[in-house]
């Protein structure tokens, strides 16, 4: 078994919605990113890659590669899972994650995020934790200038 951690941040811009954990959330923001900017899935991918000692998300999917422009981050997660399988039959056991965002509030979307991630990872719903917190107005995230996510994973050989 191995443990990995991942972190991701993106700048928020005016828009019509953001994607977090594979779930589209209507709001007054968009995300400045090469892909769809799903910070939760990006942090999860980095945690998985780190646990398997396979580098990081930017190394696998550089923002200079036009194949990944506006791509759904779930597709990147699927490719990361294939890389883990190819690198030693690694498979996810459980995920614990936290999204940091002042607004919109995410509580009502968390069940859908958990379900989406559990299905994508091939684990039970009870193996995926998604939490959300605010910075109470502190810093760039507190001023709604950005969104961040932290993720820890446990993987094992399949």
């Amino acid at each position: 078994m191995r443990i990995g951690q991942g972190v991701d941040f993106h700048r928020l811009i005016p828009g019509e919605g953001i994607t977090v954990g594979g779930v589209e959330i209507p709001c007054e923001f968009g995300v400045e990113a090469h892909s769809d900017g799903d910070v939760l899935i990006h942090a999860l991918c980095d945690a998985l890659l780190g646990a398997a000692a396979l580098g990081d998300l930017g190394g696998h999917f550089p923002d200079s590669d036009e194949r990944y422009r506006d791509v759904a981050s779930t597709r990147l997660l699927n490719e990361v899972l294939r890389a883990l399988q190819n690198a030693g039959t690694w498979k996810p056991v459980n995920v614990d994650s936290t999204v940091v965002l002042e607004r919109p509030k995410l509580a009502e979307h968390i069940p859908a995020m958990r379900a989406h991630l559990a299905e994508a990872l091939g684990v039970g719903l009870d193996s995926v934790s998604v939490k959300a917190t605010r910075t109470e107005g502190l810093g760039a995230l507190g001023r709604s200038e950005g969104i961040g996510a932290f993720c820890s994973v446990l993987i094992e050989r399949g």
Side-chain angles (χ1 to χ4, degrees):
M1 298 181 109
R2 292 186 181 178
I3 298 170
Q5 67 167 347
V7 177
D8 194 50
F9 295 94
H10 283 287
R11 182 180 312 274
L12 291 174
I13 57 175
E16 297 179 4
I18 58 177
T19 302
V20 182
V23 176
E24 293 183 24
I25 301 169
C27 64
E28 71 271 27
F29 300 112
V31 177
E32 187 176 289
H34 184 69
S35 68
D36 67 0
D38 187 328
V39 293
L40 179 51
I41 290 183
H42 292 179
L44 173 57
C45 287
D46 261 350
L48 290 164
L49 290 167
L54 293 175
D56 65 16
L57 193 65
H60 287 264
F61 311 103
D63 61 9
S64 59
D65 191 334
E66 288 301 311
R67 290 178 298 169
Y68 303 113
R69 178 160 306 283
D70 299 324
V71 69
S73 293
T74 299
R75 179 175 153 213
L76 303 180
L77 177 57
N78 290 335
E79 291 189 32
V80 166
L81 291 169
R82 271 194 294 283
L84 264 68
Q85 184 67 29
N86 293 336
T89 63
W90 292 109
K91 66 178 186 173
V93 175
N94 79 304
V95 174
D96 182 30
S97 62
T98 304
V99 179
V100 184
L101 177 68
E102 200 67 23
R103 65 181 206 278
K105 292 189 176 181
L106 299 178
E108 69 182 80
H109 303 286
I110 287 176
M113 291 178 203
R114 290 182 62 219
H116 178 80
L117 295 176
E119 181 178 342
L121 294 169
V123 299
L125 190 59
D126 62 343
S127 294
V128 178
S129 171
V130 175
K131 303 175 300 293
T133 193
R134 300 172 36 211
T135 65
E136 304 298 331
L138 298 174
L141 297 183
R143 291 188 301 271
S144 296
E145 295 173 11
I147 180 173
F150 300 85
C151 187
S152 298
V153 300
L154 179 66
I155 62 174
E156 67 181 358
R157 291 214 188 258

